[in-house]
Amino acid sequence: MTISKQVPESKVRIACLQMEPHVGDKERNLARSVEMIDEAAEANANLVVLPELCNSGYVFNTRAEAQSLAEEIPEGPTCRTWVDAAARHEMHIVAGIAERDGRALSNSAVGIGPHGVIGTYRKNHLWAAENLVFEPGNLGVPVFHTEIGRIAAAVCYDIWFPDVFRLAALQGADILCVPTNWVPMPDQPKNLPKMSNILAMGGAHSNSMFVAAADRVGEERGQPFIGNSLVVGYTGWPIAGPASEDREEMLIADANLSDARRKRNWNDFNQVLRDRRIDLYAEDLGANIIRGWY
């Protein structure tokens, strides 16, 4: 299988916005997110990633508290504000938000383009006490087709599962955007990268796709967060970051998303998706393969 080299160029400037939300203070959090989006626009970014639950905060005491902070997509005030920012700057945004859909609550990532909301991802793998607050995702791993490339999303703990990367790659995703609230992992050696960073790098490498992960910093109701946002190239090596552990900052990375498609052929013999040995397991294990994207 040979992928045509006549692939349209998809050059983007990615900004991962590492910020410190405060639980329950939606007005402040939203205003700070817009300030950082404006700063990213000044740096000529056209794809911006914000942390998980960045408008509401993360550590909810009760489901009722989460319910009071959740919003509908796309009608809620947070989405409307981000839609206005994306239109003003002609950019794409992927950001974490507590989503309310009827009585259901989801830990979601919303994708927004210059002309409005382009899609929603709902976190499939809930971490710790999130299981008491949110329903597991029910939208699979959608890929949003945009003028700057094919964008998929995941949220935090989702990247502990290689299935998420692979489901996105099989649908032709060029980049996986990861709003996240990474927390310290047990027995983390001080002289090695964070486990979250290693997983992001491994998923990017084994699926030939870019990964842009925006984490938060600070401590919330006794829970610390580790920062270390990063952007990973399709080869698996970071092209920006990791960021600091304890301060807000913006990571900028220039990428040609088309490279992810071209380089899925690693050499004359190996293609990272074709080489899967689906004869060793049920062909429909976890996905219906979407063919023809290349």
Side-chain angles (χ1 to χ4, degrees), residues 12-285:
V12 298
R13 173 162 284 190
I14 304 161
C16 283
L17 306 183
Q18 181 166 288
M19 61 177 285
E20 182 179 3
H22 296 264
V23 66
D25 196 348
K26 285 175 60 177
E27 184 176 347
R28 178 197 179 281
N29 297 336
L30 183 57
R32 180 58 181 145
S33 75
V34 172
E35 287 177 358
M36 296 191 78
I37 289 169
D38 291 345
E39 292 169 6
E42 291 178 3
N44 296 315
N46 57 351
L47 175 58
V48 169
V49 187
L50 286 154
E52 178 180 6
L53 300 176
C54 64
N55 72 323
S56 63
Y58 179 78
V59 183
F60 304 118
N61 284 327
T62 64
R63 180 179 168 91
E65 182 183 30
Q67 180 85 21
S68 72
L69 295 169
E71 300 180 17
E72 295 181 346
I73 297 175
E75 297 85 0
T78 295
C79 272
R80 292 200 305 268
T81 299
W82 286 339
V83 164
D84 289 345
R88 185 169 66 252
H89 297 306
E90 297 186 348
M91 65 168 48
H92 288 74
I93 298 170
V94 179
I97 184 171
E99 179 192 4
R100 182 174 62 245
D101 183 10
R103 298 183 64 182
L105 294 180
S106 298
N107 184 341
S108 296
V110 60
I112 297 169
H115 307 295
V117 171
I118 57 177
T120 303
Y121 172 83
R122 292 173 177 163
K123 188 173 183 179
N124 285 303
H125 306 91
L126 301 179
W127 175 258
E130 288 179 40
N131 287 276
L132 303 176
V133 174
F134 297 113
E135 279 72 49
N138 60 1
L139 299 179
V141 183
V143 175
F144 313 135
H145 291 240
T146 78
E147 54 264 44
I148 63 171
R150 292 176 293 215
I151 300 171
V155 177
C156 199
Y157 184 45
D158 283 323
I159 72 163
W160 265 249
F161 298 86
D163 329 47
V164 172
F165 293 98
R166 186 52 49 89
L167 286 166
L170 287 171
Q171 297 175 79
D174 304 313
I175 185 168
L176 186 73
C177 294
V178 187
T180 185
N181 285 345
W182 288 325
V183 300
M185 290 288 101
D187 303 321
Q188 168 72 51
K190 291 184 178 180
N191 61 333
L192 293 177
K194 302 298 185 185
M195 181 59 69
S196 51
N197 289 182
I198 293 171
L199 291 165
M201 293 163 61
H205 172 78
S206 60
N207 292 282
S208 187
M209 67 195 313
F210 291 87
V211 175
D215 196 14
R216 63 161 293 169
V217 291
E219 183 174 309
E220 194 172 271
R221 291 175 173 167
Q223 175 62 67
F225 300 92
I226 66 169
N228 279 267
S229 303
L230 80 167
V231 184
V232 184
Y234 65 91
T235 61
W237 300 113
I239 57 176
S244 68
E245 294 190 15
D246 57 2
R247 67 180 185 273
E248 293 188 327
E249 60 183 288
M250 175 173 61
L251 290 182
I252 294 288
D254 291 310
N256 187 344
L257 300 186
S258 301
D259 288 340
R261 279 170 257 169
R262 280 191 282 261
K263 296 300 183 180
R264 283 193 172 123
N265 274 24
W266 283 339
N267 54 51
D268 290 341
F269 300 97
N270 297 111
Q271 204 271 5
V272 68
L273 299 181
R274 182 201 62 201
D275 288 349
R276 295 174 311 123
R277 288 290 306 277
I278 59 176
D279 58 308
L280 301 179
Y281 50 84
E283 185 170 359
D284 61 352
L285 182 64

